[in-house]
């Protein structure tokens, strides 16, 4: 996503837990999740701000978090952000599918969960992925 950051003053802070175990996942699908979450953070920030990418272990899960210090998601919208076709963007600027697709990849394809905490100045999307994947 460097091309989207090229002409901005957005800083990306990485805080990765290097001791996490290796996990078997569908990498290309999860790349779509990270792309959607980071793209939304960039759009929320506009030209300046900070995006924080972090990983950690929580119990039997790897947790990946994508946060930003933008304006936040209004409370009346927060409960709908993962709904298909829901968007707060202007007509022609978004389909309202990015977070729905991300949620389905995380929950349906990887047995994990996806949530968001948001207030003005701090929005964080939390992705929980089980370390031991169940085989279909």
């Amino acid at each position: 996503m460097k091309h989207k950051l090229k002409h901005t003053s957005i800083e990306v802070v990485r805080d990765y837990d290097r001791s996490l175990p290796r996990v078997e996942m569908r990498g290309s699908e999860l790349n779509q999740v990270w792309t959607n979450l980071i793209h939304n953070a960039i759009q929320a920030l506009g030209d300046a701000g900070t995006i924080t990418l972090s990983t950690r272990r929580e119990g039997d899960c790897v947790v990946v978090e994508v946060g930003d210090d933008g304006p936040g998601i209004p409370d009346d919208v927060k409960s709908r952000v993962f709904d298909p076709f829901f968007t707060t963007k202007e007509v022609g600027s978004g389909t309202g599918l990015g977070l729905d697709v991300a949620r389905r990849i995380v929950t349906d394809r990887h047995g994990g969960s996806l949530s968001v905490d948001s207030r003005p100045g701090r929005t964080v999307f939390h992705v929980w992925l089980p370390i031991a994947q169940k085989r279909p």
Side-chain angles (χ1 to χ4, degrees), residues 5 17 20 22 27 31 39-40 45 56 59 66 71 73 80 85 93-94 100 108-109 112 115 120 126 129 134-135:
L5 297 171
D17 180 348
L20 289 174
R22 290 207 174 268
N31 279 340
H39 177 71
N40 281 359
L45 291 174
R56 70 177 191 283
V66 177
I73 301 169
R80 300 183 59 204
F85 305 108
S93 295
D100 172 56
D108 299 348
R109 301 285 290 164
S115 68
H126 313 273
L129 297 166
K134 295 177 181 149
R135 298 283 177 213

Side-chain angles (χ1 to χ4, degrees), residues 110-127:
H110 291 85
S113 63
L114 175 60
S115 68
V116 63
D117 292 315
S118 186
R119 60 177 164 70
R122 187 70 179 144
T123 296
V124 181
F125 283 87
H126 313 273
V127 178

